[in-house]
Amino acid sequence: MVDVLALVEARLRTALGEPDARAAVTFLGTDRVEVLRFQDDDQEGPIVRYATLGMSAQPMSDPTAMLADPVAGPRAELVLSVRGGHADTDKVLRPLAVLAASPQVEGVVVAPGASLDVGEPLWPGAPFTSVLVAEPGGLVEDLELDEPLDPVRFLPLLPMTPNEAAWKRVHGAPALQERWLTNGTDLRDPSRKSVPLD
C-alpha cells in the first residue's frame, strides 16, 4: 500500500519549501494530524503558511453511506496562509487539526465552497471563527495517486468573520469571494475587518 502521507509531505516541501516547525495533535478515535509551518516572503512582508498532514491518509466518505469505502473517495489536506508578525497565528495549529480531523470525527466531506466553523477564534484575538474552503490547484498542485485512489487536493482556507459567514450562508461562496475581490480584501491579513456587506 502506498504511503500517502509521505507523498503528501514531499509535495508540500516541493511547493512551499522546508517546514520550519511542525506539531502533532491526536483526537480520541482518530489518526494523528500534523500541522506543518512554512515561512515565505512577498512584496509586503513575511507570509506564514500552515498545512495539515494526516487528513488525506483516509478517503472522506459520504456521511449517508452505510459503510465507509477504505480506498475510494476524495482526499484532501488544508492550507492556511496569513501575514506573519501581526498576530499569534501559531495558535491556529489546534483549530486546523480539528478541521482536518472532522471527516473522521463527524463524517463530513470537506469540499470547495464549504464553511468550516471551529466555534472559537482561530487564534487569540482573531476576528474569525470560521473559514471558507477555496478551490485547490493554485499554491499546491493536486497529488495524483495510483488507481483506484483519488488524488489528494490541497484546499486553501480563507478566514471569515461571523458577518461574512452569515452573509455567505444566504448568498453563497461565489458571491462572498466576488465581494472580497471587488473590495481588494487582503485575505491573508490576520486582523482584517469584515468586508462591506450592505
Side-chain angles (χ1 to χ4, degrees):
M1 187 65 183
V2 62
D3 185 348
V4 172
L5 296 185
L7 296 174
V8 167
E9 183 166 353
R11 172 58 54 91
L12 286 169
R13 287 171 183 267
T14 300
L16 304 177
E18 285 298 308
D20 69 344
R22 62 196 305 153
V25 182
T26 306
F27 303 100
L28 194 63
T30 68
D31 296 333
R32 186 169 94 143
V33 175
E34 286 191 273
V35 180
L36 311 186
R37 185 181 71 187
F38 302 86
Q39 303 273 3
D40 194 9
D41 278 298
D42 72 0
Q43 298 88 348
E44 296 175 40
I47 299 289
V48 185
R49 305 192 195 281
Y50 301 94
T52 63
L53 179 64
M55 183 177 172
S56 61
Q58 317 244 354
M60 294 181 277
S61 57
D62 182 342
T64 61
M66 291 297 287
L67 282 173
D69 189 316
V71 176
R75 293 174 189 260
E77 297 290 354
L78 308 175
V79 182
L80 174 71
S81 301
V82 292
R83 296 209 172 280
H86 298 284
D88 189 7
T89 55
D90 280 354
K91 296 285 197 309
V92 79
L93 297 179
R94 187 168 179 81
L96 269 183
V98 168
L99 296 179
S102 62
Q104 282 189 66
V105 175
E106 299 168 31
V108 296
V109 175
V110 177
S115 301
L116 304 176
D117 197 317
V118 296
E120 60 185 26
L122 292 175
W123 52 83
F128 320 106
T129 59
S130 63
V131 293
L132 175 64
V133 182
E135 290 291 337
L139 193 61
V140 186
E141 287 184 27
D142 292 355
L143 172 65
E144 297 292 334
L145 300 174
D146 292 339
E147 293 285 344
L149 303 183
D150 284 28
V152 177
R153 304 170 85 197
F154 297 88
L155 302 172
L157 301 181
L158 308 175
M160 293 188 292
T161 66
N163 284 349
E164 290 170 340
W167 197 85
K168 181 252 173 190
R169 278 194 294 275
V170 175
H171 300 279
L176 178 59
Q177 290 177 293
E178 182 64 34
R179 186 61 62 108
W180 282 335
L181 196 61
T182 303
N183 285 272
T185 306
D186 181 1
L187 296 171
R188 295 183 293 199
D189 179 351
S191 54
R192 72 173 179 84
K193 302 283 187 278
S194 184
V195 72
L197 297 169
D198 47 359

